[in-house]
Amino acid sequence: MSTRSTAHAPRRASRTAAPPRRSTWAPPAREAPTEAPRRTSRPVAPPQRTARPATPPRRRVPGHRAAAPSTNRGRQLLIRVVVFLTAVLGVNYVVWRWLASVNWDSWWIAVPLVLAETFSLVDSLLFGLGAWRLRERGTAPPPDPDATVDVLVTTYDEPLDLVMRTARAAQRIRGSHQTWILDDGARPALRALAEAEGIGVVTRSSAWTADVPRHAKAGNLNNALMVTEGEFLLILDADQVPEPEILERTLGWFRDDDVALVQTPQWFVNTSDSDPLGSQAPLFYGPIQQSKDGWNAAFFCGSNAILRREALMQLGVSRYVSDVTVAVHRAVRSSRRILDRALAAHRDEPRAVRALEEVSAALDELRAAVAAGDALADVTWAFQRRVDAVRRALSDEDIASLRADLAELAAMAGEPEALASDDAAVDAAVEALGHADWSPLGAIESVSMLVAAFDVGREDEAQAIMPLATISVTEDMATSMRLHGLGWRSVYHDEVLAKGLAPEDLPTMLTQRLRWAQGTMQVLFRENPLLQRGLSWGQRLMYFSTMWSYLSGFAAVVYVAAPVLYLCFGVLPVTAFSVDFFARLVPFLLLNQLLFLVVAAGRPTWRGQQYSLALFPIWIRSVTTAFQNVYRGRSLGFAVTPKTRTEAHVRRWDLVRPQLFVMAALVVSLAVVGVRYAAGQAEGIAPLVNVAWVLFDLAVFSIVIRAVSYSGPPEQDDGTASQGPGTPGQGRETA
């Protein structure tokens, strides 16, 4: 395949004649939508809409300024004071631990423990760095009345009534918009229901064959971007029911022409007040995202977000050009090495040397054209044609020589008519030789390798342009990081404007958390934010802090093992629990907890702290499996999180077996130290410190018992899950 075939435009889903307001899509399954949705029009915008290009120009509103941030200065000052003191005390403690208190006689546990403490310090410093610029935004400016929006409801195999409930709510959103269901399951029943209510349905185009990767939700959205036209995209998961005012409350942020993304919280209606599965994330969908927002690093979370189409399309095109450029430069370097080896191998063959020197000259011209910024499609196409010409010229010489050899053999046999009688067969064989990728000369094999190296088309993808990142099983973080790298801005709007469904049992929750963690680790291994050009150092650290947190599973193992080893066997990882030790550790721990409380501003954090430690097997598995996927090509698979309970509650103790082993070890250690005290083998403060440590760990791990026993929220008379506390528009969740 040549470069020219894909470099100029992406493949698009087929479409039929366009009606006045929205194109009509072809009816076959897995194609574009058969009918355009009716545009709902509410007071925010006029009812009519003119057709727009897929990537409209930026709209500028003269003299407009976005609403000023509303972060309380007194609160910000308090946060910064606590951050500074926590950092000073933390660094003081960890440096002292390394220099003065590591018990080298038990280095095999002492060194891992101080490494775990160093990890925790870095985690605390990154959290504090984000909080230093915590940004609480005020009300968004009024939206542009001419803005056009496509509301995209993504689905694969969720229940039809659940999808339609979200789509109907999307229709009721105030403001001019069109609602589309992106049905990756291509279900005729869903299409019929949607089109009966004027809701459009988009399925994969015919380009998404079994021979190309589907990229899960990212592929679904990328396909839809090629067949929708709105200037902005509101992306909703199938269970995320939007409030009517979601566009009124968020579109105004796009008055700033540099804003590409507005993310709102995800809040769930089917969690109990105690939230034993930790589904509500009040710290993340609040202070953490607000902290990242202060550094212009608030990122896309996959749903309940509005994105600017122009930014996505620029990202898709720029990534395509970047990928092709990298491929060409890599191929040029490899080709030069191939040519040098081929010339050395065939220096005594004038014909081969002449051909290779001609290819070498073509390669030099290609390098110069790439350096000059010429169109890659044109220069690589020209190079391929020159290589083909050299190869064909040598093949033609071989063909002529072969014909002469055959004629001579026939003449020597005294039967020239035998050659003439089967001339058609000989011509067919000779023609096949002319089109083959081989030659009697080893030089031709080298030339063929060059041609293959410069095949920079995207034959292995359904679309040349992929705006949403496909390097991870979660498309959101990588996409927003790339947008930030291009200079776009993001906004975190801390107001609940859509309500969804959380996992209702432990297996579903673990599947979801594993997928999130794996996706984050894939991004770290493939596009480490610390190494990405275009990002400020603040942005790099904000993205890295999220990835860093998923490494906590390894530290958790050490934190659990250290007190058990001491209480059971007397193995002490520190030189002594002296006054110096407590004078440094206790103030740091207290201030670290104070930092969480000040930043959280009343939002509950205990459940998040519990799961941060209790899910250590999930975090470790996410790191190891993502590493295997990125560096060894092993598949991760992809599972859609079920939105409803599908079977009677079964207590799956097998899913938390590592945590149960840990809890058993902690309890045994308490029993052992009790026996040691009775026997006079334990004394002083050290055992008491470790007993307190064990009791804290048991309190943390106790959440897995509740999670296994949790049978889901009670149902109302109408069959829906009970709604947790909180009301729409309050701007923060309650767990």
Side-chain angles (χ1 to χ4, degrees), residues 332-380:
V332 166
R333 291 192 298 268
S334 300
S335 300
R336 175 56 62 192
R337 290 193 294 268
I338 292 173
L339 281 173
D340 291 343
R341 288 197 298 267
L343 283 167
H346 300 283
R347 59 180 178 272
D348 296 330
E349 303 176 39
R351 194 164 64 103
V353 170
R354 184 175 65 253
L356 290 170
E357 287 178 343
E358 186 173 348
V359 174
S360 180
L363 183 63
D364 291 338
E365 293 177 8
L366 172 68
R367 295 178 64 181
V370 171
D374 293 348
L376 292 174
D378 294 335
V379 297
T380 55

Side-chain angles (χ1 to χ4, degrees), residues 525-725:
F525 293 141
R526 288 195 168 110
E527 295 183 5
N528 188 327
L530 298 179
L531 306 177
Q532 297 305 304
R533 296 179 179 178
L535 296 177
S536 68
W537 273 106
Q539 290 174 319
R540 297 182 193 198
L541 291 173
M542 289 303 98
Y543 277 106
F544 182 73
S545 66
T546 299
M547 301 168 183
W548 179 261
S549 66
Y550 283 111
L551 300 175
S552 63
F554 300 100
V557 173
V558 180
Y559 285 140
V560 169
V564 171
L565 288 171
Y566 175 74
L567 293 178
C568 291
F569 306 105
V571 177
L572 192 63
V574 298
T575 53
F577 288 103
S578 61
V579 174
D580 281 347
F581 178 82
F582 290 108
R584 288 173 169 82
L585 174 62
V586 173
F588 170 56
L589 292 180
L590 292 177
L591 270 176
N592 199 51
Q593 288 302 309
L594 179 62
L595 175 60
F596 271 93
L597 293 175
V598 170
V599 171
R603 305 190 192 203
T605 62
W606 173 240
R607 189 69 76 234
Q609 292 183 61
Q610 283 183 299
Y611 275 112
S612 177
L613 182 65
L615 291 184
F616 75 92
I618 294 293
W619 311 145
I620 293 175
R621 182 182 172 191
S622 71
V623 175
T624 56
T625 54
F627 183 89
Q628 295 280 358
N629 172 259
V630 172
Y631 295 109
R632 306 186 71 176
R634 295 187 180 179
S635 174
L636 288 179
F638 184 84
V640 176
T641 304
K643 303 302 189 298
T644 58
R645 280 172 283 177
T646 57
E647 58 183 19
H649 175 63
V650 177
R651 296 187 177 184
R652 296 291 306 276
W653 297 105
D654 58 300
L655 297 178
V656 293
R657 190 175 291 116
Q659 291 92 328
L660 295 178
F661 287 154
V662 166
M663 296 179 72
L666 293 171
V667 171
V668 168
S669 69
L670 292 177
V672 170
V673 77
V675 173
R676 292 181 62 203
Y677 263 116
Q681 297 178 357
E683 59 183 13
I685 195 173
L688 297 178
V689 171
N690 283 272
V691 166
W693 190 349
V694 166
L695 292 175
F696 175 80
D697 286 345
L698 284 172
V700 169
F701 279 96
S702 66
I703 188 60
V704 301
I705 306 296
R706 297 187 61 189
V708 172
S709 304
Y710 183 61
S711 59
E715 293 190 351
Q716 305 286 359
D717 294 337
D718 61 359
T720 61
S722 62
Q723 181 171 314

Side-chain angles (χ1 to χ4, degrees), residues 33 65 73 145 188 202 293 303 401 412 435 444 455 528 550 562 608 667 674 678 683:
R65 292 185 179 181
R73 291 188 177 181
V202 178
D293 195 17
S303 183
S401 176
M412 291 174 62
H435 288 89
I444 295 302
D455 185 11
N528 188 327
Y550 283 111
V667 171
E683 59 183 13

Side-chain angles (χ1 to χ4, degrees), residues 208-535:
W208 295 86
T209 64
D211 298 329
V212 299
R214 295 184 64 81
H215 299 304
K217 181 180 174 182
N220 194 11
L221 288 167
N222 282 330
N223 175 76
L225 280 169
M226 299 299 111
V227 295
T228 56
E229 300 174 356
E231 185 178 359
F232 301 101
L233 309 167
L234 168 58
I235 298 176
L236 299 168
D237 282 345
D239 63 298
Q240 293 287 337
V241 178
E243 299 292 337
E245 66 271 20
I246 186 170
L247 294 180
E248 291 177 332
R249 303 287 292 171
T250 56
L251 273 184
W253 296 117
F254 290 101
R255 294 275 196 173
D256 182 344
D257 297 320
D258 293 328
V259 170
L261 163 71
V262 175
Q263 178 67 54
T264 69
Q266 294 187 22
W267 192 87
F268 306 104
V269 300
N270 62 330
T271 59
S272 63
D273 294 345
S274 60
D275 190 20
L277 298 182
S279 297
Q280 305 286 22
L283 190 63
F284 176 78
Y285 286 113
I288 290 179
Q289 278 280 49
Q290 289 172 329
S291 297
K292 296 179 186 299
D293 195 17
W295 293 92
N296 187 32
F299 58 77
F300 179 33
C301 298
S303 183
N304 305 4
I306 303 93
L307 293 99
R308 189 188 295 267
R309 180 185 296 272
E310 176 192 359
L312 286 175
M313 296 308 296
Q314 180 193 1
L315 174 60
V317 172
S318 67
R319 291 300 300 189
Y320 173 74
V321 173
S322 174
D323 291 345
V324 170
T325 302
V326 170
V328 168
H329 283 293
R330 185 183 298 116
V332 166
R333 291 192 298 268
S334 300
S335 300
R336 175 56 62 192
R337 290 193 294 268
I338 292 173
L339 281 173
D340 291 343
R341 288 197 298 267
L343 283 167
H346 300 283
R347 59 180 178 272
D348 296 330
E349 303 176 39
R351 194 164 64 103
V353 170
R354 184 175 65 253
L356 290 170
E357 287 178 343
E358 186 173 348
V359 174
S360 180
L363 183 63
D364 291 338
E365 293 177 8
L366 172 68
R367 295 178 64 181
V370 171
D374 293 348
L376 292 174
D378 294 335
V379 297
T380 55
W381 175 268
F383 177 79
Q384 288 175 321
R385 301 287 68 76
R386 288 191 62 177
V387 172
D388 287 341
V390 172
R391 182 175 60 178
R392 191 56 184 259
L394 287 172
S395 297
D396 288 345
E397 293 180 15
D398 291 334
I399 290 168
S401 176
L402 177 60
R403 286 182 180 275
D405 290 342
L406 290 173
E408 183 177 353
L409 288 172
M412 291 174 62
E415 299 177 349
E417 64 278 2
L419 180 63
S421 64
D422 200 17
D423 192 57
V426 173
D427 285 341
V430 168
E431 186 66 13
L433 175 63
H435 288 89
D437 280 343
W438 60 271
S439 166
L441 292 175
I444 295 302
E445 182 179 356
S446 301
V447 173
S448 298
M449 292 173 65
L450 286 174
V451 173
F454 282 99
D455 185 11
V456 295
R458 302 189 77 166
E459 183 68 21
D460 58 337
E461 295 285 359
Q463 297 177 184
I465 305 300
M466 293 283 191
L468 277 88
T470 59
I471 64 168
S472 164
V473 293
T474 52
E475 73 292 336
D476 40 25
M477 176 184 287
T479 298
S480 52
M481 187 169 70
R482 291 175 175 183
L483 287 171
H484 283 132
L486 291 177
W488 291 94
R489 300 187 60 81
S490 63
V491 169
Y492 179 67
H493 183 87
D494 189 31
E495 181 179 5
V496 177
L497 294 168
K499 296 180 179 180
L501 299 178
E504 295 188 348
D505 54 40
L506 180 64
T508 304
M509 183 269 280
L510 294 179
T511 298
Q512 183 187 70
R513 301 295 175 87
L514 177 62
R515 189 177 78 243
W516 290 347
Q518 286 174 327
T520 303
M521 287 296 99
Q522 283 179 307
V523 178
L524 174 64
F525 293 141
R526 288 195 168 110
E527 295 183 5
N528 188 327
L530 298 179
L531 306 177
Q532 297 305 304
R533 296 179 179 178
L535 296 177

